[in-house]
């Protein structure tokens, strides 16, 4: 099958996933609703997307569920650094990206992404290339052991039908990827991260497509129970302050490390949609340190470490 014949079915599945994620998140929010912002690039042939945003709610302080389908000629440096043979290639990218920043500090921030990339190398007669990527991760501020275990059990369960080695491999990839080298700490407790799923890595198209769709559904099915349990817990100024400080780490990762953010900005993507992942309130306090033996200290000492959760 030619690459362009796959695009409609992927687009349909990703748009369906976007609607499902918004529907499920809306069930946890009594005040705010998702608003759709349909956009296109200056050149309509280069695609566009739909950004769904929910903000100012009782449960959700800010959340976004984005769909994008863009095309172009000439990949940004973030892509060609890993795939130099694609310099000058014609490409198409479809993806769903979701980020949730709850209002309650006891409810964790979360992120999920699924994407499909295909390109025609500029070299005459070259074979088109394609791959799937994605994953999901959890960033708690006041973590609960049971939530972290449930999160990783869901990650394990979605991977198991595709092979026993998949979860440990993609879990380790996630731990390595969502890491802030300048802070020498993980962003959160991880989950799954994967890229370059194609025939060369023993992922035929149908298998890889099925997997990313299952990952997208599992993400919200794992997250909703955690959000439901934590969204009404009482908290005060101390917890809100700590949430803002830890959100600063989230911003640092997205702007300094995240390949998706850098790819979007370097490929002249829509800035508002790319930066929807940033939280509405954040704080940087000079040389801030948690009190010894406090709940705030427990986050980095007990949870922001590489662990075998299963």
């Amino acid at each position: 099958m030619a690459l362009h014949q796959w695009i409609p079915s992927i687009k349909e599945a990703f748009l369906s996933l976007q609607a499902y994620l918004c529907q499920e998140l809306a069930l946890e929010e009594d005040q705010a609703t998702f608003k759709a912002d349909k956009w296109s690039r200056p050149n309509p042939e280069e695609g566009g997307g739909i950004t769904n945003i929910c903000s100012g709610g009782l449960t959700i302080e800010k959340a976004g569920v984005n769909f994008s389908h863009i095309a172009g000629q000439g990949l940004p440096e973030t892509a060609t650094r890993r795939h130099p043979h694609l310099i000058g290639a014609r490409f198409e990218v479809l993806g769903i990206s979701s980020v949730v920043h709850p209002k309650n500090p006891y409810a964790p921030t979360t992120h999920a992404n699924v994407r499909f990339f295909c390109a025609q190398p500029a070299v005459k007669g070259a074979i088109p290339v394609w791959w799937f990527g994605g994953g999901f991760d959890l960033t708690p501020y006041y973590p609960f052991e049971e939530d972290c275990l449930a999160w990783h059990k869901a990650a394990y369960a979605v991977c198991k039908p595709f092979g026993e080695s998949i979860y440990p491999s993609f879990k380790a990839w996630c731990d390595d990827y969502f890491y802030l080298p300048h802070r020498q700490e993980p962003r959160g407790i991880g989950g799954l991260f994967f890229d370059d799923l194609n025939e060369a890595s023993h992922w035929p198209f149908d298998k890889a497509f099925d997997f990313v769709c299952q990952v997208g559904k599992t993400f919200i099915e794992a997250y909703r129970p955690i959000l439901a349990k934590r969204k009404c817990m009482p908290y005060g100024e101390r917890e809100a302050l700590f949430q803002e400080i830890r959100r600063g780490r989230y911003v640092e990762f997205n702007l300094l490390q995240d390949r998706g953010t850098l790819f979007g900005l370097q490929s002249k993507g829509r800035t508002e949609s790319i930066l929807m992942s940033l939280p509405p309130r954040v704080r940087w306090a000079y040389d801030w340190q948690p009190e010894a033996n406090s709940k705030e200290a427990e986050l980095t000492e007990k949870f922001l470490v590489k662990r075998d959760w299963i």
Side-chain angles (χ1 to χ4, degrees):
M1 183 183 289
L3 283 177
H4 69 274
Q5 293 180 279
W6 291 340
I7 300 298
S9 59
I10 297 170
K11 183 174 183 178
E12 180 182 5
F14 282 7
L15 285 171
S16 177
L17 176 60
Q18 182 187 39
Y20 179 61
L21 296 180
C22 292
Q23 170 191 304
E24 291 296 297
L25 286 169
L27 293 174
E28 300 298 335
E29 176 55 68
D30 298 324
Q31 178 173 292
T33 58
F34 277 92
K35 296 180 180 180
D37 180 16
K38 191 172 183 178
W39 55 274
S40 61
R41 303 185 84 177
N43 179 354
E45 293 184 357
E46 295 182 347
I50 304 171
T51 299
N52 287 349
I53 293 289
C54 179
S55 61
L58 296 175
T59 298
I60 297 173
E61 188 168 14
K62 182 184 178 186
V65 184
N66 289 352
F67 166 78
S68 61
H69 178 194
I70 63 171
Q73 185 83 35
L75 287 159
E77 188 268 342
T78 51
T80 57
R81 186 190 316 143
R82 295 171 54 238
H83 302 281
H85 62 292
L86 295 181
I87 292 174
R90 176 76 183 172
F91 68 91
E92 283 192 65
V93 183
L94 295 91
I96 291 287
S97 180
S98 179
V99 177
V100 184
H101 293 289
K103 186 174 182 180
N104 194 310
Y106 287 101
T109 284
T110 191
H111 156 264
N113 171 268
V114 293
R115 57 192 177 273
F116 175 75
F117 175 93
C118 61
Q120 177 62 56
V123 179
K124 186 177 180 179
I127 299 173
V129 297
W130 62 268
W131 65 77
F132 285 95
F136 52 69
D137 64 288
L138 197 70
T139 306
Y141 309 106
Y142 290 93
F144 295 83
E145 191 89 7
E146 63 186 271
D147 296 347
C148 300
L149 290 171
W151 183 255
H152 278 276
K153 285 180 179 178
Y156 172 78
V158 73
C159 292
K160 186 177 180 180
F162 297 88
E164 284 291 342
S165 65
I166 302 303
Y167 168 76
S169 175
F170 291 177
K171 187 264 188 189
W173 203 343
C174 188
D175 289 340
D176 291 339
Y177 182 79
F178 290 103
Y179 184 81
L180 287 77
H182 61 285
R183 297 285 188 181
Q184 296 186 332
E185 67 180 32
R187 187 174 81 173
I189 64 149
L192 301 173
F193 182 86
F194 52 91
D195 211 351
D196 301 328
L197 299 191
N198 57 18
E199 291 172 338
S201 56
H202 309 291
W203 285 84
F205 177 84
D206 289 342
K207 177 183 177 182
F209 187 21
D210 181 33
F211 180 66
V212 298
C213 290
Q214 294 301 321
V215 165
K217 291 178 62 178
T218 298
F219 155 69
I220 196 63
E221 292 166 1
Y223 182 65
R224 260 199 71 194
I226 297 173
L227 182 61
K229 282 190 292 186
R230 309 305 170 196
K231 66 182 184 180
C232 293
M233 292 183 66
Y235 67 91
E237 291 184 7
R238 175 180 178 138
E239 291 82 5
L241 170 65
F242 184 61
Q243 179 191 51
E244 291 179 6
I245 290 173
R246 292 303 309 180
R247 280 176 170 178
R249 303 289 204 268
Y250 200 92
V251 172
E252 289 173 21
F253 178 86
N254 278 27
L255 296 183
L256 297 175
Q257 302 295 136
D258 186 59
R259 289 207 310 256
T261 301
L262 297 175
F263 177 89
L265 295 174
Q266 291 177 5
S267 62
K268 299 180 182 178
R270 186 169 185 263
T271 302
E272 285 299 312
S273 297
I274 296 166
L275 298 184
M276 71 85 192
S277 63
L278 303 184
R281 294 181 300 113
V282 66
R283 183 188 302 252
W284 281 272
Y286 181 77
D287 198 28
W288 186 91
Q289 301 293 332
E291 295 179 10
N293 302 315
S294 66
K295 282 290 184 181
E296 292 79 13
E298 184 179 61
L299 171 67
T300 52
E301 293 172 359
K302 183 178 177 182
F303 290 90
L304 297 189
V305 294
K306 290 186 178 181
R307 291 177 58 176
D308 181 358
W309 293 97
I310 298 301

